[in-house]
Amino acid sequence: EIFAVWELSRAFRNEGVYCEIKNFLLDRGIQFLVKNPSLRLLNPDGTLNQGMELAMSIHITLAKQEMELKKERFHRAKSAMWKQGKYIGGVVKYGYKVDENGYIVIDDETAPFVRMVFEMYSTGKYSVRTLYDELSERGYKITYHIINKLVADRSYIDSPYPQLISAELWNKCEEVRNKNYIGIPKG
């Protein structure tokens, strides 16, 4: 029997997984072949080829390090794009949109609603539940969960994206949230 892979780095980027599979194959006398680079784990007589085992281990370590470097470069690139106000993937925050150049900009259609939610909540007349009820009565299609996340989201004032609300308005909302927090144990 033969277990074959085209390229070792595609099959294993984790030494632990490689060792488990290698031991599984050795226990059963199954040959492990790699096409690129050309490696054979077992000798023709079925014994372990220690030189090839070492070569495989080195290739896997290099593949793992390569992946770590790629992740680091990817993270740096995303971070740089975010600092420039560019869209880096995922869900765009309510009140924003992505323009034709890939930048996050204020969405003229949804931004007024975001401002209204913050302004209404900052008055202290509403809890998240009563604000949700009020907006639902007015015909807005929004969930309680969205309002709750919205009024607690610092990124509306702490991000490189255009600011939708003032820091003062956000701070008023934070005071209301702290005042409204009951702290009932979830259990």
Side-chain angles (χ1 to χ4, degrees), residues 39-145:
L39 301 171
R40 297 174 78 83
L41 187 60
L42 300 179
N43 293 317
D45 65 357
T47 60
L48 175 65
N49 183 325
Q50 293 180 344
M52 290 297 171
E53 180 185 33
L54 177 61
M56 286 182 182
S57 295
I58 290 169
H59 278 282
I60 289 166
T61 300
L62 291 173
K64 178 184 171 203
Q65 288 176 337
E66 180 185 345
M67 283 307 297
E68 288 172 3
L69 287 172
K70 282 181 182 178
K71 285 179 187 177
E72 177 62 31
R73 283 194 299 267
F74 183 70
H75 177 71
R76 278 196 316 264
K78 277 183 75 171
S79 212
M81 288 175 60
W82 184 80
K83 288 176 184 173
Q84 295 171 14
K86 282 197 152 195
Y87 176 65
I88 57 172
V91 177
V92 178
K93 295 219 172 287
Y94 205 73
Y96 294 104
K97 66 180 180 180
V98 180
D99 74 4
E100 62 278 353
N101 298 315
Y103 286 92
I104 300 289
V105 296
I106 293 175
D107 182 359
D108 294 333
E109 291 181 31
T110 59
F113 177 78
V114 171
R115 290 184 187 109
M116 179 182 69
V117 167
F118 276 100
E119 287 167 5
M120 289 175 73
Y121 190 72
S122 72
T123 65
K125 295 178 185 176
Y126 301 96
S127 66
V128 173
R129 170 58 62 193
T130 58
L131 181 56
Y132 163 74
D133 293 340
E134 175 69 25
L135 293 172
S136 293
E137 275 184 32
R138 293 183 185 187
Y140 290 101
K141 303 285 186 220
I142 194 154
T143 66
Y144 168 86
H145 179 72

Side-chain angles (χ1 to χ4, degrees), residues 26-44:
L26 287 173
D27 290 345
R28 287 157 183 77
I30 300 171
Q31 178 65 277
F32 181 28
L33 295 178
V34 179
K35 173 75 172 159
N36 187 17
S38 180
L39 301 171
R40 297 174 78 83
L41 187 60
L42 300 179
N43 293 317

